[in-house]
């Protein structure tokens, strides 16, 4: 794909869409994680919409949970049903959704106590590992949703990870 280097000025996110295998289970997971209930739920069955995504059809169920400044669209495709990606952080094309935590240590402990399974230990950026130096002290931890979508909690330092 060749793309022009002309700036498009897309500087504000609207939502992130996450394909899920069980909408009800994902609603429960993300509602517990965010403390928010869906603001919208619905169904769709549209060949034209499917074609916008390179699919022959788009029969789906969805729900949207809004967090401050971003919507999380949970989408269960019923036709065609997709295969699980089993995304890993180092695979090109994979992505993760990051949630800010004002008190990382307290949130991390509450999540551990509630049974969230972190992929590894929590981590604090140290000198010599990260630039800019303003990121020093930033704390992160990674976990997955029920379908393996990579998620992160972060307590940024020095303007890092707006």
């Amino acid at each position: 794909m060749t793309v022009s280097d002309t700036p498009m000025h897309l500087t504000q996110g609207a939502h992130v869409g996450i394909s899920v295998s069980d909408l009800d289970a994902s609603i429960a997971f993300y509602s517990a994680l965010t403390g928010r209930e869906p603001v919208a739920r619905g169904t769709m069955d549209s060949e034209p919409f499917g074609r916008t995504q390179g699919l022959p059809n788009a029969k789906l169920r969805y729900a949207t949970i809004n967090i401050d400044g971003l919507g999380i669209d949970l989408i269960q495709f019923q036709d065609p049903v997709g295969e699980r990606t089993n995304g890993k952080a180092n695979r090109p094309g994979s992505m993760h959704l990051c949630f800010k935590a004002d008190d990382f240590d307290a949130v991390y402990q509450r999540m551990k106590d509630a049974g969230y399974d972190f992929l590894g230990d929590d981590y604090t950026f140290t000198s010599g590992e990260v630039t800019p130096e303003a990121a020093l002290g930033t704390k992160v931890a990674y976990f997955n949703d029920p379908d393996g979508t990579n998620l992160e909690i972060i307590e940024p330092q020095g303007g890092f990870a707006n």
Side-chain angles (χ1 to χ4, degrees):
M1 172 192 332
T2 303
V3 177
S4 166
D5 60 358
T6 303
M8 298 296 130
H9 303 290
L10 298 173
T11 60
Q12 189 173 29
H15 69 266
V16 61
I18 302 173
S19 293
V20 302
S21 62
D22 181 335
L23 183 63
D24 298 322
S26 292
I27 289 171
F29 177 87
Y30 282 93
S31 291
L33 184 66
T34 64
R36 309 246 174 117
E37 293 297 319
V39 296
R41 292 180 193 224
T43 61
M44 176 182 274
D45 190 352
S46 171
E47 287 181 22
F49 181 73
R51 288 193 301 271
T52 69
Q53 298 188 31
L55 301 170
N57 188 33
K59 181 177 181 182
L60 55 88
R61 297 173 58 219
Y62 69 89
T64 299
I65 295 176
N66 286 337
I67 59 175
D68 297 347
L70 186 71
I72 302 171
D73 289 353
L74 305 171
I75 307 161
Q76 180 183 353
F77 282 87
Q78 297 173 306
D79 180 29
V81 174
E83 296 176 25
R84 187 176 167 147
T85 63
N86 294 320
K88 299 244 186 231
N90 65 341
R91 292 186 180 172
S94 69
M95 54 87 53
H96 70 269
L97 174 59
C98 182
F99 297 90
K100 282 186 180 179
D102 291 331
D103 183 344
F104 179 91
D105 295 329
V107 171
Y108 181 71
Q109 190 59 54
R110 275 198 322 270
M111 289 177 72
K112 285 181 76 169
D113 292 346
Y116 287 84
D117 187 19
F118 287 91
L119 300 176
D121 295 333
D122 61 316
Y123 182 76
T124 303
F125 294 154
T126 61
S127 184
E129 294 180 326
V130 66
T131 58
E133 290 290 314
L136 295 179
T138 294
K139 297 178 180 182
V140 297
Y142 297 88
F143 58 106
N144 288 336
D145 76 0
D147 287 300
T149 301
N150 295 318
L151 303 173
E152 174 187 7
I153 56 171
I154 189 170
E155 183 180 67
Q157 298 297 314
F160 181 69
N162 292 326

